[in-house]
Structure formats: structure tokens, C-alpha cells
């Protein structure tokens, strides 16, 4: 009886290990995560419009249908990126995700405080390599450091009413994401 | 012999319980770390680098992108205020106000996160589209059949959930309890 209880205890401890290991490993193993889904339609370092979600088809679950969305799948291995998007009348935001879909930074039009949201995206190592004298100009240059070499920049612009959609799309079409 | 039997037994149980626990945690939507306000639950931390491992695994499995914390916060409601699951064959009244935000949207999804088809092509409202009362509060009737005012069609689906997204809002990391944040109440009315 005691022997059985010991085996059971061991089994449960092992179950805990299995549980934690699968939870921690799943984000690395997932083949249908948002990054993978975006990779199917978006080339590297290019802004691509994501088709608005419909009941029949949506690139990702839980997309907000009131928003027009564009995405830049970035790869910083060749150097930093320059990103810019003109803001729209209502609301524009730019969110940054790591390769494993973790949102590490997001900024909206009001926080940016200009007609165009402009920033430089680089890895921590590339930022450290910035020459000293550029630090002075860095004050009016927004620098975002990516924790991973690849990831996603997601631009979301709200069309508060359906009549706004063409204007919002136009603004997003002017978004740029390219090597310096 | 006994050792072999014991090992196989232990490994089988470990695999079944361990994988079962993972599956449960990722599909049932772990409630921990969330901010509960009435029937609504939000996970502001999921939009930051501080996202917990369970939420990371869930996001990897479903393929969604969480709303970044500098962008906004999403609140999910799967039940009404008394805890009954939202049923698309019933009339449900949303009424009240939202926490402070520059814009908000409310959207109806099926449990898999897809929009629900209906004859009017309406899947939600934005804060700008909504018809409000004189005091700024609003009422949305989530119902299978056409209603006057703010009608959000359910398409008659059995299960659905509502997502209220607040954009450019001070609500987030700071408010753990959320008791000071007014969220719309969810009341079930007649069913078909």
C-alpha cells in the first residue's frame, strides 16, 4: 500500500514537471501562432495590409473589426529599421511584438505627439553601437530596442464609422518600414 | 517486474495528468492575474513583457496578438452579471458607461474568436457609433432579432462572448481591483 502511494506521489511530481515543461515549451513549438500566420502573407521588412476579419475568414482570432491593420514582419539581422506611419484623424497605434508574440512596446498617436509616428527599431546590441555624437540627436528620435532579432510591428488605425475606412486605409498605405 | 510495472504506471499517470493539466489551463482560460469588474475580465499584463507563461502559451496556441499596454486594454465577458453563460438565443442588455478612454469598441465573437455572421453585417459598435442617453450612458441590446436603438445581432449562435476594448486609457496596470472603473452591466432578458 505504501509502495503504491509512493509510486503515485512520484507520478504526480513527474506530472507537474510535464505540465510546466509543456507550458514553457509551447510558445517555441507553436506552428500556428500569430507570427507564423503573418509570415504566410508578409515578406520581411515590408508593410503589408492585413485583410479585415470577416465571419468566414480572419488571419488571427479576436481581431477588432473596427480597425484597419497593417503589419511589418521585421528582421534586424542586417541592421536597424526606420519605421514611419502618418497618423489618422481618429486613433492610430503602433505595437511591437517579439518573435514569440509578446507585446514589448506600444505607442499611440497622442503619445507620439506628431502628424507622423516615426521611430528607429534596433536590437539592444545595435543600440549600444550607436556613435556617441548621435546620442545628442537621439532626443528627438524615438528609438525602440527589440528583445529579439525578428518580430512584428502592428499598425492599428481606427475607423470609428465605416465611412472612414478609405481615408484610414490611405494613411496606412503610406506606412514605411525599411533598412536605414 | 514490480519495478517495471511501477515505472510504466507512474510515467503513464504523469503524462496523462501533466498534459491534461496543460490542456485544461490553455483552453479553459486561466483566470489568474486578471482584473475582474462585474462579468468582465481583463489581463492588462498580457500586453507587456510581464505576460505570464500560461498566457504566453495560450496566445501561441490560439494565434492571437494581445493588445499592447501602450495601446489599450481588452475586457472579456463570457457570462452575464449573475454568471449565466451568454446565449445568442436570448436578449441581453448591456447598459451603463465604460471607464475613461479616448475610444472604445465592443465586439461579439464566437468562443473561437471569430466574428459571427448576421444579416446586418454588424459585429460590434465603436464609441463614436453608439446612440447615447442624455447623461452619456448607453444601452446595447444583444439579441437574435432586430431591435430599435443599439442592436448588436447574435446571429442566433448558442455561445458567444463580448469583448470591450478601451484604447488610450489610464485603466491598466495601476488598477488591480478595478472597483473604481465603471463597466457596463450585462443583464439577461427573455429567450427565444
Amino acid at each position: 500500500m505504501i509502495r503504491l502511494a509512493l509510486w503515485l506521489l512520484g507520478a504526480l511530481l513527474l506530472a507537474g514537471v510535464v505540465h510546466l515543461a509543456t507550458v514553457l515549451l509551447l510558445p517555441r513549438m507553436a506552428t500556428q501562432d500569430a507570427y507564423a500566420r503573418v509570415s504566410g502573407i508578409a515578406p520581411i521588412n515590408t508593410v503589408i495590409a492585413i485583410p479585415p476579419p470577416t465571419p468566414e475568414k480572419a488571419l488571427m482570432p479576436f481581431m477588432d473589426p473596427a480597425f484597419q491593420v497593417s503589419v511589418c514582419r521585421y528582421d534586424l539581422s542586417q541592421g536597424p529599421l526606420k519605421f514611419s506611419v502618418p497618423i489618422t484623424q481618429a486613433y492610430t497605434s503602433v505595437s511591437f511584438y517579439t518573435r514569440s508574440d509578446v507585446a514589448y512596446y506600444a505607442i499611440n498617436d497622442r503619445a507620439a505627439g506628431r502628424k507622423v509616428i516615426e521611430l528607429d527599431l534596433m536590437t539592444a546590441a545595435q543600440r549600444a553601437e550607436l556613435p556617441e555624437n548621435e546620442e545628442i540627436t537621439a532626443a528627438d528620435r524615438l528609438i525602440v530596442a527589440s528583445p529579439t532579432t525578428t518580430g512584428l510591428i502592428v499598425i492599428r488605425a481606427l475607423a470609428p464609422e465605416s465611412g472612414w475606412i478609405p481615408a484610414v486605409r490611405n494613411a496606412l498605405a503610406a506606412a514605411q518600414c525599411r533598412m536605414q | 517486474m514490480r519495478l517495471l510495472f511501477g515505472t510504466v504506471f507512474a510515467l503513464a499517470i504523469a503524462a496523462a495528468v501533466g498534459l491534461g493539466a496543460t490542456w485544461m489551463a490553455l483552453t479553459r482560460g486561466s483566470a489568474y492575474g486578471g482584473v475582474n469588474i462585474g462579468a468582465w475580465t481583463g489581463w492588462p499584463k498580457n500586453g507587456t513583457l510581464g505576460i505570464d507563461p500560461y498566457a504566453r502559451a495560450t496566445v501561441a496556441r490560439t494565434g492571437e496578438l494581445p493588445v499592447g499596454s501602450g495601446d489599450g486594454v481588452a475586457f472579456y465577458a463570457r457570462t452575464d452579471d449573475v454568471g449565466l453563460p451568454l446565449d445568442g438565443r436570448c436578449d441581453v442588455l448591456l447598459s451603463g458607461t465604460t471607464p475613461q478612454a479616448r475610444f472604445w469598441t465592443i465586439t461579439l465573437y464566437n468562443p473561437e474568436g471569430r466574428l459571427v455572421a448576421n444579416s446586418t453585417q454588424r459585429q460590434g459598435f465603436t464609441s463614436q457609433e453608439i446612440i447615447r442617453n442624455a447623461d452619456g450612458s448607453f444601452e446595447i441590446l444583444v439579441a437574435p432579432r432586430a431591435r430599435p436603438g443599439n442592436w448588436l445581432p447574435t446571429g442566433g449562435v448558442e455561445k458567444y462572448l463580448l469583448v470591450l476594448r478601451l484604447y488610450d486609457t489610464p485603466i491598466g496596470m495601476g488598477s488591480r481591483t478595478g472597483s473604481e472603473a465603471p463597466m457596463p452591466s450585462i443583464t439577461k432578458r427573455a429567450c427565444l
Side-chain angles (χ1 to χ4, degrees), chain B residues 48-128:
Chain B
T48 68
L49 279 170
I51 183 171
D52 71 79
Y54 285 98
R56 277 187 72 163
T58 305
V59 161
R61 195 187 70 84
T62 61
E64 66 192 286
L65 282 176
V67 181
S69 70
D71 185 15
V73 187
F75 284 91
Y76 297 75
R78 291 165 195 275
T79 66
D80 63 12
D81 284 345
V82 295
L84 292 169
L86 294 173
D87 186 331
R89 295 163 297 190
C90 300
D91 287 9
V92 167
L93 181 73
L94 253 74
S95 80
T97 55
T98 66
Q100 192 194 336
R102 208 162 111 214
F103 287 98
W104 54 258
T105 65
I106 191 151
T107 316
L108 188 146
Y109 297 95
N110 74 6
E112 284 78 49
R114 285 189 157 226
L115 299 173
V116 174
N118 61 73
S119 54
T120 59
Q121 311 293 325
R122 176 168 287 289
Q123 274 91 27
F125 286 98
T126 68
S127 49
Q128 204 152 319

Side-chain angles (χ1 to χ4, degrees), chain A residues 33-110:
Chain A
D33 68 332
Y35 185 89
R37 288 167 189 236
V38 168
S39 299
I41 62 163
I44 289 281
N45 296 347
T46 313
V47 180
I48 289 282
I50 291 187
T54 64
E56 294 77 35
K57 209 164 178 267
L59 186 66
M60 291 171 260
F62 293 107
M63 285 176 73
D64 191 333
F67 278 71
Q68 300 296 315
V69 180
S70 283
V71 63
C72 166
R73 180 165 70 100
Y74 65 79
D75 182 348
L76 302 172
S77 55
Q78 304 298 314
L81 281 184
K82 267 199 178 309
F83 172 86
S84 69
V85 62
I87 65 168
T88 57
Q89 295 251 335
Y91 176 81
T92 311
S93 73
V94 183
S95 308
F96 295 79
Y97 296 88
T98 65
R99 169 64 189 84
S100 51
D101 312 305
V102 174
Y104 62 89
Y105 183 71
I107 187 170
N108 64 44
D109 47 6
R110 186 173 285 178

